[in-house]
Every structure is written in structure tokens, then in C-alpha cells.
Amino acid sequence: MVTIGVLSVVLALLYQRTTANLACNGNTTDATVAATCGQLRSSLGDIIVLPSDTPAYTALSDENWSQTTWKTPSCIARPSTASQVRDIIRVLTDKAVPFAIRSGGHSPNPYDANIDTGVLIATDNLNQVTYDAASGLASIGPGARWDAVYTYLDKYNLTVVGGRVMNVGVGGLVLGSGLSYLSDLYGLVVVADGSIVTASSTSHEDLFWALKGGSSNFGIVTKFTTPTFPIQQIWGGMQIFTVEQLPDVFQALYEYQTTPDKDLYANLIINPVPINGSVILTLVYLKPVERPEAYAPFYKLTPTADQTGFLTLHELMAQFPLPPIPRWTWYESSFQPDSALYAQLSDLIRTSAEVETLSKLQAGTLIGAVQPIGKNVALQGQRHGGNALGLQPVAQTWFSLNFGWWREEDDAAAYAAMDALHNKFEGLTKAAGAKLDFFFMNDANIKQPVIASYGEDNVQRLRAVQKVYDPNLVFQKLLPGGQKIPAS
């Protein structure tokens, strides 16, 4: 995890004068919240969007990627400066009004980035992207989308350690640890600089450590400043296989992961799409070298289509638009590579009763995301000041199962089948002795205890940081969504 740079947040630490009203347990009345929205509108103007402000309100409340997170907030705040964020949080804390924070709204978990009877703080106006040639640093607002970030940096032939999906917001991905095609080289997360509270390796070091995987438990980020890297032209692209070839693709993955002295410029992701009968292998080599030796195990296979070649990293990532399916859920797992386990997982994905059930739902689409993680990802974190994740420096696989469907009336069936499929998946990894405790926050279901998976020592340290910067637990009590630090 990269820890170069500093980070600006608006913190509950600034609002310790408001302690009396924080016994909020979901009992805040509609009238109280409506009155608070009116107060915010009077003081801050039209950056506060009320339900009466249609169609602007409707567009904003339904902006989240998955309809499973569409809510009816009492009002929507769209700050464009750190001081406006501070003013909004002061009022909400004084009145004990619940709120949600949305960067890009990509999570399908209900209440992760939206709310009913409360205020949605949408950071889409905090979307600035700038580059300072003298320092080599880029500054990025939490509401920026990764496509805009890469487009801006393209003119300098630079990139950053950032997201793989273009429409994902910067803030949520970075604070969740944020996997990147550059992660083997530079780690997981980059963090930033701003004007209210600065956290870095030399200022508020405890907060700096905690934010790297600690999500929204401490404050609201207003700007990130990150190192840039001169990676532009690469070799890679997609190879398509049939679902019957999945066992062979997984065995090639095992060989790739267990090859000594892994090439740090080589990265890949495998997307089994069993209901649609295909497997997508995306190769990403961060140098303009054709068919590098790192991918030798995959060259033994015969794809049904091969779209590899020379292109820019941004061009490659832009080839993967989000599927136009309205409702989504997902689960995340991590485990150490195991040849026999990969064979079992291949059979489960292709033949399980749960996949058959999911295939019968309207527009039912199951997409796996198989992401090999090298030991250098954890080592980079240790070299740059540590982080809260508790990653073991071993080769591992982060495997998410993502399911999309069309109709709200199929929600119960979709959730039940995905729960059962995930439980079978976890059972196989445990039986093989390969399961790791860690859950990758950005792909985790809200039912999965992500922060607890970092290890008890790290959890205790996060609690200690929380006591310093949010002693009244504003971001625990008034922010219902997202992964929370477990109570002691």
C-alpha cells in the first residue's frame, strides 16, 4: 500500500462540543430531519437539494449503480469545498441526524452510499483533478471517477495506483484499500492532501495508518494527493475461453501464481461468466513487451478469441463497461493458491444447483472476479509505514462472486442462492486448508466482517485511533452504512 503523500479529512474531532444528542439509534423523526434539511438549505443555499427540487433530486437519489441501494434521503448535500463539508457535519452532529456518504455509489450493499430519513452527502462536486509537475503529484477529489482521473493524466503520459472500473468513485475505492493493476509494483492505496486536517507519515501518523483500509470510520475525505507513474504504453488485452475450459484456465493461474520470482510488471484478472458460457482472461503487462514470459502457462491454452496487443493502460481498462443490469449483490473470499482447490471451485461455478437457480432469474448474470495477489502487495505496505489490513506476505487469490438480475420481486431468491453459493465456496476453501481470514472491502458483502478480518491487534489499534479522532462516535452512530470497527 502506497503511503506517499498526505490526506485531508473533515473529522468528528472538530465537533466535540456536540455530545449530548448522539444517542441516535434510528429513532430520529422525519420532522427533525426535514427541519435540519431546511436549516442547511437556508445557510448553504442550493448545494442542498430537497425532494421538492425535482428532477434534480430524483436523478441524485437514484444515481447509485445498483437499484438495491436506491433510497429516499430527506435531502441531498452536494458540497464543493472542505469548509462546506465541515459546516454540514457540524449541523448533522448537533441535531443527531443520520447521514450517508457517496463517492461513486458503486457498492450494491444497501445503505453503503445512500439513506432513508437522513441526509445523503454526495461528493460529486468534490471532483477536481490536478497535476503538479514540480512534485510529480496529482490531487484528486473523492467524487471524481477513475475514467476522469486517467483522462486528465493521459496528457502527461502518467497514471496512478487507481481503480480498474472506470465509473467507480475515487473516495470509496481508496479508503477500502483499492486494488489496482499497479498493486504488485506499488501496493494498494494512495492517500492525499487538503486543508482542514492533514494526515501523513509526519502529521497525524496514527490517522494516516488507520485510513488505509479503515473506510469512513474517522471522517470525510476532501482531497487525495498521490504519486504519479510514467506507465502509458503496455501489452495486454482479453482472451476468451469457453466455460468448459475453466479448469484449464485455473490450472494455468495456479502455475502463474506459484512461479518463483514473479514478474512485478505482470498482472491479470479472470472473469468466469458461467451462465453466459464464457471465461474472460485479461492480461496486463505494464511494459510494451509482446507476449512476456510471465504468462507462459496461459500460452499453452487455445482461446476462442484473442484481443491482446499494444495499447495504453487507460484504453485497456475502458474496454470493460459496467453491465446494464439494475440489481446486484456480491461476496468476497481470499485463499492461498491450491491446484486441487481450483479444480473444485471450477466444478462449483459450472455445475452447482445455486448457479442453475440464478440462471433462471430474469437477466440473471453471474460474474466471478479472480484476482491473483502477489506477496509484494503486503511487503509494499510494510515498507511504506504499514496499514490496517493485516495482509500476509504470501501469494493469494481474492475471489469475488457478483450477481446481477432485473426484477425487485426476485430479490429474495437472488440473495438466498448467492448466500448458499458463497457458503459452499467458503466450505471448499476451509476444507482445503487454504482459506485466509482477510476480506477485500471493495468487493465484500455487508454481511462479511471486513475490519474484523484485519486481525485483533489491528482492530484494537483502529479503536484507539477512533477514540482520538471521533470520541463521540459520530461516524459510528450517525453513519449507518459501510463497514464498522467492531465494538470492544
Side-chain angles (χ1 to χ4, degrees), residues 18 44 105 222 227:
T18 55
L44 296 172
T222 59

Short mmCIF file of all heavy atoms in Angstrom, two decimals, residues 18 44 105 222 227:
data_model
loop_
_atom_site.label_atom_id
_atom_site.label_comp_id
_atom_site.label_asym_id
_atom_site.label_seq_id
_atom_site.Cartn_x
_atom_site.Cartn_y
_atom_site.Cartn_z
N THR A 18 -20.44 18.97 20.47
CA THR A 18 -21.78 18.43 20.27
C THR A 18 -21.80 16.99 20.74
O THR A 18 -21.60 16.07 19.99
CB THR A 18 -22.16 18.50 18.79
OG1 THR A 18 -21.15 17.83 18.03
CG2 THR A 18 -22.28 19.93 18.33
N LEU A 44 -26.73 27.21 3.44
CA LEU A 44 -25.80 26.82 2.38
C LEU A 44 -26.35 26.96 0.97
O LEU A 44 -25.62 26.78 -0.01
CB LEU A 44 -25.34 25.37 2.60
CG LEU A 44 -24.53 25.13 3.88
CD1 LEU A 44 -24.31 23.64 4.10
CD2 LEU A 44 -23.18 25.84 3.81
N GLY A 105 -20.84 5.57 -5.55
CA GLY A 105 -22.04 4.78 -5.35
C GLY A 105 -22.01 3.44 -6.05
O GLY A 105 -23.05 2.94 -6.50
N THR A 222 -11.65 15.02 1.71
CA THR A 222 -11.95 16.11 0.79
C THR A 222 -10.99 16.18 -0.39
O THR A 222 -11.31 16.80 -1.40
CB THR A 222 -11.93 17.46 1.52
OG1 THR A 222 -10.65 17.67 2.10
CG2 THR A 222 -12.99 17.48 2.61
N PRO A 227 1.26 10.03 -5.69
CA PRO A 227 2.34 9.98 -6.67
C PRO A 227 1.82 9.53 -8.03
O PRO A 227 0.83 8.79 -8.12
CB PRO A 227 3.32 8.94 -6.09
CG PRO A 227 2.92 8.76 -4.67
CD PRO A 227 1.47 9.07 -4.59
#
